[in-house]
Amino acid sequence: MTCHKRYKIKKKVREHHRKLRKEAKKRGHKKPRKDPGIPNSAPFKETLLREAELRKQQLEELKQQQKLDRQKEQDKKRKLETDPADEPSNVESVEEFGQSKPKKAKLSKQNPKTVHCLELKKVIEASDILLEVLDARDPLGCRCPQVEEVIVQSGHKKLVLVLNKSDLIPKENLENWLNYLTKELPTVVFKAFTNPKDKRKITKVKKKAVSFKHKVCFGKEGLLKLLGGFQETLGKPIQVGVIGFPNVGKSSIINSLKQERICNVGISMGLTRSMQVVPLDKQITIIDSPCFIVSPLNSSTALALRSPASIEVVKPLEAASAILSQADARQVVLKYNVPNYKNSLEFFTNLAQRRGLHQKGGSPNVERAAKLLWSEWTGASLCYYCQPPTLWTPPPHFNENIVADMKRGFNLEELEKNNAHNIQAIRGPSSGNSILFWSSGLTNGIIEEKDIPELPKVMQQGKQEEREDSEDKERLSDMSPIEETSEALPEESIAGEPSTRSSIILDEKTKEDDAYDFSTDYA
């Protein structure tokens, strides 16, 4: 650039700034006045200056202390996040049953289905009574014949059925299911505590357990009396294992019995991944367990309702279509307020338009609509029900002797009274406001590690990438800001971006170009 052009640009810039100052002066914008300080004629000037300096030093020290406190809190949070072994003080460690922390870390690298099977076996072996939790909306589909057979073959363990989510089905249907299941095993009508405000959040375990004694819960007294009576008959402390398929409410039942939020609960399926021991009192100990593993030989509807996305590959469109095929179409149309449909794709298109689920360009997002329906049917808010079979036929692993042995030691008359009282107290929906669903029967599960199918290579790579990403995040979180910038710079240069020096030169060049354009505009 010639000197003539450079000086001309500087002149124009000065004129522009002068113009801005004049306009600001007209608008009344004035510079803030500086503090003149303490005048020399003021008495005790030196004392006031010393006090001001002392206050300034105290303020700086307070800021430094607050900064250190914040750093300590961040370090504590980071340690708690990276160390999953930290558990609340009122929950006993699992080491009583021979599981140490190194073994737990070793198991986490295995197939998650294998870990679930191993943990489930430990719960069954350590328990005197097994509570099989059933979703009252589909009790038959929540029973696993393989697990029940293992419990029966042990010879000395008791099996009790718990009908949870009893407030989501009509009372007549609940009574019919209770009469059907009581012929086989002791059955408890239950409605666990659920916090409606935390439906979209997963409630994490905290050191100070939150008490909710004033919240509504039905069936707790009847279940506690049943367990207490069996403990008195046995004459020694008992351990009670809680088992079942995902999202039937195992952890919610434990929290309701303990009247504290101890176990992790949430809308995600398969949230509990290891056994957790919770002392109820001096004589009764509750053991939470991971969910059953669904066998791939089941029907598509059973796989859609009982497969947690954390350990299974779930395709929402296929799963939602399978669920929709077993539901009453007329009641589905009334529930979701959509027009009549011929197939599942037409229903999801109408549902997406009704709920405002659109893709780019305005086309309905069928995938999101299917995911919405799948999450509602596997959640704990939708009211649907199944009719019990007309004739009672015992499963192949049960006979009259086993049924009588399972009922021995329990006060069944008191249990029947408590169930009748709970059915009257629970406010269930009417049959017109619920959706009729055709159950696919008993759901087969996997309890042996050898029966678990191998994960596809694509899923194994995905799990490995997730593990590597989590390790990278932990490493970056522990790194100082200087180290982060020093490591980030070479990566940027490798990716094909200019280096720091070249970027500075480019910035200077762009500044000159901008100045040149500015002058040409004035010209």
Side-chain angles (χ1 to χ4, degrees):
M1 187 185 292
T2 59
C3 293
H4 172 73
K5 191 172 286 187
R6 185 166 65 250
Y7 290 134
K8 187 178 179 182
I9 291 168
K10 289 182 179 179
K11 184 179 177 183
K12 294 294 180 183
V13 170
R14 284 197 300 272
E15 289 176 358
H16 178 67
H17 288 322
R18 194 181 301 117
K19 185 180 178 181
L20 291 177
R21 284 197 298 273
K22 282 183 180 179
E23 289 176 356
K25 196 173 183 181
K26 286 178 184 178
R27 289 195 302 268
H29 178 71
K30 297 180 180 179
K31 291 182 180 179
R33 291 185 178 182
K34 292 184 179 179
D35 185 12
I38 302 170
N40 293 328
S41 58
F44 311 111
K45 179 182 177 180
E46 292 180 0
T47 310
L48 292 173
L49 286 173
R50 279 198 299 272
E51 288 178 358
E53 188 67 26
L54 187 63
R55 280 197 299 271
K56 190 176 180 181
Q57 287 180 1
Q58 288 175 352
L59 191 63
E60 288 293 330
E61 289 175 1
L62 183 64
K63 285 183 179 178
Q64 289 292 334
Q65 187 63 34
Q66 289 175 350
K67 189 177 179 182
L68 290 172
D69 292 340
R70 282 196 300 270
Q71 286 179 354
K72 286 179 182 178
E73 287 180 3
Q74 288 175 0
D75 292 339
K76 273 185 181 179
K77 287 180 182 178
R78 194 176 293 128
K79 285 178 183 177
L80 287 172
E81 287 173 1
T82 53
D83 187 10
D86 289 342
E87 293 183 351
S89 58
N90 52 1
V91 178
E92 292 184 2
S93 63
V94 192
E95 294 178 5
E96 295 179 4
F97 300 100
Q99 184 185 8
S100 58
K101 289 178 184 176
K103 285 184 181 178
K104 191 173 182 181
K106 194 174 181 181
L107 285 172
S108 62
K109 295 180 181 179
Q110 296 179 2
N111 186 346
K113 294 183 181 180
T114 308
V115 178
H116 277 233
C117 289
L118 292 172
E119 294 292 308
L120 182 62
K121 281 184 178 179
K122 289 178 184 177
V123 173
I124 293 173
E125 289 174 4
S127 303
D128 300 310
I129 301 176
L130 276 305
L131 301 180
E132 188 175 11
V133 184
L134 311 180
D135 191 333
R137 298 173 292 183
D138 184 13
L140 211 59
C142 293
R143 293 186 65 177
C144 182
Q146 287 77 17
V147 176
E148 291 181 2
E149 190 175 357
V150 170
I151 296 168
V152 168
Q153 287 175 357
S154 65
H156 59 279
K157 298 183 186 299
K158 302 290 183 179
L159 181 61
V160 177
L161 302 179
V162 180
L163 270 178
N164 194 24
K165 303 181 184 179
S166 302
D167 59 323
L168 299 178
I169 62 173
K171 284 188 179 181
E172 302 82 11
N173 186 254
L174 180 59
E175 290 174 354
N176 294 337
W177 272 113
L178 183 63
N179 295 332
Y180 180 83
L181 295 171
T182 308
K183 295 176 183 177
E184 197 171 322
L185 291 167
T187 307
V188 182
V189 174
F190 205 92
K191 190 262 175 186
F193 162 77
T194 52
N195 192 353
K197 294 181 181 178
D198 296 342
K199 280 185 180 177
R200 296 188 180 180
K201 299 178 183 177
I202 294 177
T203 310
K204 294 188 176 178
V205 175
K206 298 182 180 179
K207 287 189 176 179
K208 292 183 179 178
V210 183
S211 176
F212 44 85
K213 294 182 181 180
H214 61 284
K215 303 294 181 181
V216 178
C217 172
F218 296 102
K220 183 189 70 167
E221 294 179 0
L223 184 56
L224 288 175
K225 286 180 181 178
L226 187 75
L227 297 176
F230 181 79
Q231 185 272 324
E232 289 176 1
T233 306
L234 201 63
K236 65 173 185 177
I238 59 171
Q239 291 170 350
V240 182
V242 184
I243 57 175
F245 278 104
N247 258 29
V248 292
K250 300 183 292 295
S251 300
S252 297
I253 286 175
I254 294 173
N255 290 341
S256 301
L257 292 174
K258 186 67 177 175
Q259 294 186 344
E260 290 177 356
R261 191 175 287 112
I262 287 179
C263 301
N264 288 350
V265 292
I267 58 174
S268 299
M269 297 177 73
L271 197 62
T272 306
R273 298 184 182 180
S274 61
M275 64 184 290
Q276 186 177 358
V277 183
V278 181
L280 200 59
D281 54 31
K282 292 181 180 180
Q283 303 297 330
I284 301 173
T285 303
I286 305 288
I287 307 174
D288 196 6
S289 70
C291 61
F292 299 155
I293 302 298
V294 184
S295 172
L297 303 175
N298 287 294
S299 63
S300 57
T301 310
L303 291 173
L305 289 170
R306 313 287 170 227
S307 299
S310 57
I311 59 174
E312 298 280 358
V313 180
V314 179
K315 296 179 180 178
L317 195 59
E318 295 179 6
S321 300
I323 293 169
L324 200 62
S325 64
Q326 296 296 107
D328 186 82
R330 185 179 59 84
Q331 292 176 338
V332 168
V333 165
L334 293 173
K335 174 68 180 175
Y336 289 97
N337 200 9
V338 294
N340 293 326
Y341 59 93
K342 295 178 181 178
N343 51 38
S344 59
L345 187 61
E346 185 181 353
F347 172 79
F348 295 136
T349 305
N350 295 334
L351 182 63
Q353 290 174 347
R354 179 71 184 172
R355 298 290 178 94
L357 306 174
H358 299 291
Q359 294 176 341
K360 289 184 178 178
S363 59
N365 195 335
V366 177
E367 192 78 21
R368 280 188 65 190
K371 197 171 182 180
L372 174 69
L373 184 130
W374 176 74
S375 63
E376 284 187 0
W377 279 76
T378 55
S381 58
L382 187 70
C383 297
Y384 68 91
Y385 66 98
C386 303
Q387 294 292 354
T390 53
L391 296 174
W392 177 74
T393 53
H397 54 275
F398 276 101
N399 54 40
E400 293 180 0
N401 296 329
I402 293 172
V403 169
D405 186 54
M406 286 291 177
K407 294 181 178 180
R408 193 177 294 116
F410 294 111
N411 191 348
L412 298 179
E413 293 180 0
E414 190 175 4
L415 176 63
E416 188 178 353
K417 291 179 183 177
N418 289 325
N419 285 337
H421 174 72
N422 291 328
I423 290 173
Q424 293 299 323
I426 291 172
R427 294 181 180 179
S430 63
S431 56
N433 294 330
S434 303
I435 300 173
L436 180 61
F437 184 76
W438 288 278
S439 176
S440 56
L442 297 173
T443 305
N444 295 316
I446 298 173
I447 198 167
E448 296 293 337
E449 298 87 352
K450 61 183 180 181
D451 299 332
I452 297 173
E454 292 184 1
L455 287 171
K457 290 185 178 179
V458 177
M459 191 173 178
Q460 286 179 354
Q461 289 175 1
K463 296 284 183 184
Q464 183 66 24
E465 287 174 2
E466 287 178 7
R467 197 180 293 116
E468 289 175 359
D469 291 341
S470 63
E471 288 175 0
D472 291 341
K473 285 179 183 177
E474 288 177 2
R475 183 174 59 83
L476 287 172
S477 64
D478 295 334
M479 194 185 298
S480 63
I482 299 171
E483 290 174 348
E484 287 182 12
T485 51
S486 64
E487 287 196 7
L489 284 173
E491 291 177 0
E492 291 177 358
S493 60
I494 288 166
E497 296 182 4
S499 63
T500 312
R501 185 174 178 183
S502 61
S503 62
I504 293 168
I505 294 168
L506 285 170
D507 289 341
E508 290 179 355
K509 191 175 179 181
T510 51
K511 283 179 183 177
E512 290 176 0
D513 293 341
D514 291 341
Y516 179 74
D517 293 340
F518 185 79
S519 65
T520 52
D521 287 342
Y522 269 96

